[in-house]
Amino acid sequence: MVPSFFSLRLSCLGLWASGLILVLGFLKLICLLLRRQRLAKAMGNFPGPPTHWLFGHALEILQTGSLDKVVSWAHQFPYAHQLWFGQFVGFLNIYEPDYAKAVYSRGDPKAPDVYDFLLQWIGRGLLVLEGPKWFQHRKLLTAGFHYDVLKPYVALFAESTRVMLDKWEEKAQEGKSFDIFCDVGHMALDTLMKCIFGRGDTGLGHRDSSYYLAVSDLTLLTQQRLVSFHYHNDFIYWLTPHGRRFLRACQVAHDHTDQVIRERKAALQDEKVRKKTQNRRHLDFLDILLGVRDEDDSKLSDADLRAEVDTFMFEGHDTTTSGISWFLYCMALYPEHQHRCREEVREILGDQDSFQWDDLGKMTYLTMCIKESFRLYPPVPQVYRQLSKPVTFVDGRSLPAGSLISMHIYALHRNSAVWPDPEVFDPLRFSTENASKCHPFAFMPFSAGPRNCIGQQFAMTEMKVVTAMCLLHFEFSLDPSRLPIKMLQLVLRSKNGIHLHLKPLGPGSGK
């Protein structure tokens, strides 16, 4: 009798639970349909390529690759077009300077439909913050990128680069091409460990290597989630193997950051260590974060510290890796420009053994080549915003508040209406004379406007030091049998790596 009673109760509970799930699912579907209707109505004046009834444009992007596909769509739809990931996430995809100016000259927040996927990893740091807290963090963090802070980093950049070059010397002896992307990634991580955490020069330890693998995993998983609409719901995503893998990688990244912050805070309790830190040749990024105060003498909380460190590691690691790797690919592809850059660097270095801060400003041709490689291969090809207020574009079309914007930097940089012969590698586009004629929103490798990349001077300094040293030590050439296949994975990567032949230039090549 009793078991029957409990069985009946359990059966009723099961029915109630099933009914509740069905009701909640139905309400969620209604919300999604209303959202779809609102977004579609907002973008009604902007035609776009045909969509799949279920996947939107995501299936075509996955099958053909999004980068050159969007360039082809840009030829078909001037200024902008609709871009749908599934049926419920729709962006206005823009790639024209005046359209970019209309949105990016303002301070609209990042689109939560994309950047919320990063929150579990990087927290609420400068990348995703908005409103007064974003302004507070931006102001506090600016001190960490002052040129007086960056000057001593030149030696740290060179230190990490030498380790990579020694590794390449050994690989080059085999006479075969090899993938440079992974080695550049380890070098960039080693550099950030020194600049952010003040880590020693003993090379990547096991914990650091685990962190590197975790960050690589997280960027891949985030991009896959973005284009897989069935992964957009958090509850469903965390139950999948894909989602559980993401959480494990997050834990590795967080454990690494938390441990370093704990160690540094504990060390600073010691008066001798604190004085030694203050008298050091340079302060690392964590020193600065631990010391900043706003007008009310408030400092960053532990959660804010971790978020800003993880954000800087995310933004400063993969983007630099991409930028350096694609630049060296361009040098291999265009040997005449490679030769001219190398000669300029040799002339600047003279009899010196290493670069000084003032040398970097003299590298005019190398800088133009870096910028041209950024134009053709922007490290971050696509960024997203959500309008906080309506916007009217130059052609009279408009969008209401709440609309989603995709700024397709890759398509903007290859827009033939903006850049004549866009596929041609021409560094002189960035000569002083030509750059002065360029639309201020035609070239956006570091985004633009008030929410542009706070670390762009850091990135350009590292790019110059690393690439100059690489060109002094090696001659780079292509492997025609293994040309890179461009792939968007938050940053611009290659599906099959970037394989180059390296010819050592021998002792004394840097003089």
Side-chain angles (χ1 to χ4, degrees), residues 1 39 90 160 183 201 207 271 317 321 327 358 364 372 379 448:
M1 182 71 181
L39 288 172
S160 296
D183 291 334
D201 58 356
R207 193 178 73 184
E271 183 67 25
H317 165 238
T321 302
F327 171 83
D358 292 339
T364 53
E372 181 67 346

Side-chain angles (χ1 to χ4, degrees), residues 27 37 58 70 88 131 138 206 215 289 309 320 371 377 479:
L27 290 174
Q37 186 180 37
V70 171
F88 305 117
R138 178 86 181 198
H206 172 72
V215 170
L289 290 183
V309 167
T320 305
K371 289 181 177 180
Y377 304 99
D479 181 346

Side-chain angles (χ1 to χ4, degrees), residues 1-18:
M1 182 71 181
V2 174
S4 299
F5 174 74
F6 278 114
S7 177
L8 185 62
R9 290 291 300 271
L10 287 173
S11 178
C12 289
L13 284 173
L15 286 172
W16 273 103
S18 299

Side-chain angles (χ1 to χ4, degrees), residues 153-173:
Y153 287 174
V154 170
L156 299 182
F157 296 152
E159 194 176 81
S160 296
T161 305
R162 286 190 197 100
V163 174
M164 179 181 73
L165 295 177
D166 289 343
K167 190 186 300 183
W168 283 0
E169 284 279 358
E170 294 180 13
K171 290 185 177 183
Q173 299 305 319

Side-chain angles (χ1 to χ4, degrees), residues 393-458:
F393 295 108
V394 65
D395 58 359
R397 291 184 289 184
S398 62
L399 283 177
S403 301
L404 302 175
I405 298 287
S406 158
M407 176 68 237
H408 208 284
I409 297 171
Y410 183 90
L412 169 69
H413 288 180
R414 292 174 184 250
N415 188 334
S416 57
V418 180
W419 302 95
D421 301 318
E423 301 296 329
V424 174
F425 186 88
D426 179 11
L428 293 179
R429 298 179 199 270
F430 296 97
S431 67
T432 303
E433 181 185 356
N434 290 332
S436 65
K437 303 172 187 173
C438 186
H439 193 294
F441 287 82
F443 181 62
M444 294 175 56
F446 298 105
S447 191
R451 291 193 69 122
N452 67 350
C453 175
I454 194 174
Q456 58 184 288
Q457 187 62 40
F458 177 98

Side-chain angles (χ1 to χ4, degrees), residues 207 250-260 262 306:
R207 193 178 73 184
C250 279
Q251 194 61 52
V252 171
H254 293 162
D255 287 347
H256 181 279
T257 303
D258 289 343
Q259 184 171 343
V260 175
R262 279 196 305 271
R306 185 221 263 179

